[in-house]
Amino acid sequence: MYKAILLFLSLFLIFGCSTNPPQQSIPQEPFTPSSGGAEPVKFRGTLASHNSVRAQLGLVPLRWSNKLARYAQQWANHQAQTQNCAMQHRPHQAGPFQQVHGENLFWASPKHWSDGKTELQEISIGEVVKAWADEVVDYDYNSNSCREGEQCGHYTQIVWHETRAVGCAIAVCPDQSQLWVCNYDPPGNYIGEKPY
């Protein structure tokens, strides 16, 4: 069994007026079909996993976005190189890693063997999305809130009615832990708004 730690912060987005985006950041362009593409092999099943959840609510299916995947990989790499895959969302303040899209994170520990050996867990994007989608049991639509002490923001981002695109990435750290990042556009989880 693997241990997964899920974290989600409600997003308020602050869009800057600068025409020169910070170095290392992905340009803040609206999603267009030309920024999409086919899911890479490692992420095959991303759309099926997300869209099966959305279909239950009659929501528009998501498309894969290479732009969002690059954005997600930038953050996953940063966390792997500087924070040993720590589960931490992009900051909201201006800078090279400013959060401008919706974001879900998933962390998994390595397998630990009795002889002290560690190895990477085999985890698929389908399992990652399922972990997020399973938060539905902790979401109350009428009050638009999570059950006390539980998280449901990953689920509400998946089913955010305005979201049209997703792109995902993974980074593996030297200790064989892994951080998965999916970014969404348009973003969701605005405080006071219901997801659908």
Side-chain angles (χ1 to χ4, degrees):
M1 295 299 287
Y2 62 86
K3 293 194 304 187
I5 299 173
L6 299 175
L7 170 67
F8 186 85
L9 300 174
S10 295
L11 296 177
F12 264 119
L13 298 178
I14 301 171
F15 292 96
C17 295
S18 172
T19 57
N20 297 321
Q23 220 173 14
Q24 296 184 326
S25 68
I26 305 298
Q28 300 175 23
E29 313 161 358
F31 175 77
T32 61
S34 63
S35 65
E39 300 164 303
V41 173
K42 177 70 177 173
F43 297 98
R44 194 163 292 145
T46 302
L47 295 177
S49 299
H50 279 83
N51 290 335
S52 67
V53 177
R54 292 175 65 85
Q56 294 171 26
L57 299 168
L59 298 170
V60 173
L62 300 182
R63 299 181 196 167
W64 179 264
S65 168
N66 291 325
K67 178 178 85 82
L68 290 173
R70 288 190 305 272
Y71 182 83
Q73 192 66 63
Q74 179 197 41
W75 185 245
N77 290 346
H78 172 75
Q79 289 302 96
Q81 293 164 5
T82 64
Q83 303 293 324
N84 195 38
C85 290
M87 272 200 35
Q88 179 181 351
H89 284 281
R90 285 176 177 261
H92 292 287
Q93 57 271 31
F97 297 107
Q98 181 180 9
Q99 182 66 270
V100 295
H101 298 290
E103 183 170 86
N104 280 346
L105 302 177
F106 178 95
W107 178 88
S109 66
K111 287 182 185 176
H112 293 282
W113 299 96
S114 58
D115 63 1
K117 180 181 171 188
T118 61
E119 66 180 52
L120 186 69
Q121 288 193 64
E122 295 286 330
I123 297 176
S124 70
I125 187 65
E127 292 170 295
V128 170
V129 176
K130 182 182 183 313
W132 295 332
D134 285 350
E135 292 176 357
V136 65
V137 299
D138 295 315
Y139 176 65
D140 180 70
Y141 182 80
N142 292 328
S143 66
N144 192 30
S145 62
C146 304
R147 187 178 349 168
E148 189 174 339
E150 301 298 331
Q151 296 181 33
C152 61
H154 299 96
Y155 166 72
T156 55
Q157 176 58 80
I158 289 172
V159 297
W160 195 259
H161 64 289
E162 293 176 345
T163 299
R164 295 294 182 263
V166 61
C168 301
I170 182 176
V172 176
C173 281
D175 67 355
Q176 300 299 293
S177 63
Q178 52 193 297
L179 178 65
W180 295 73
V181 180
C182 286
N183 285 113
Y184 302 85
D185 192 68
N189 288 333
Y190 290 99
I191 293 173
E193 290 186 34
K194 290 187 174 181
Y196 51 87

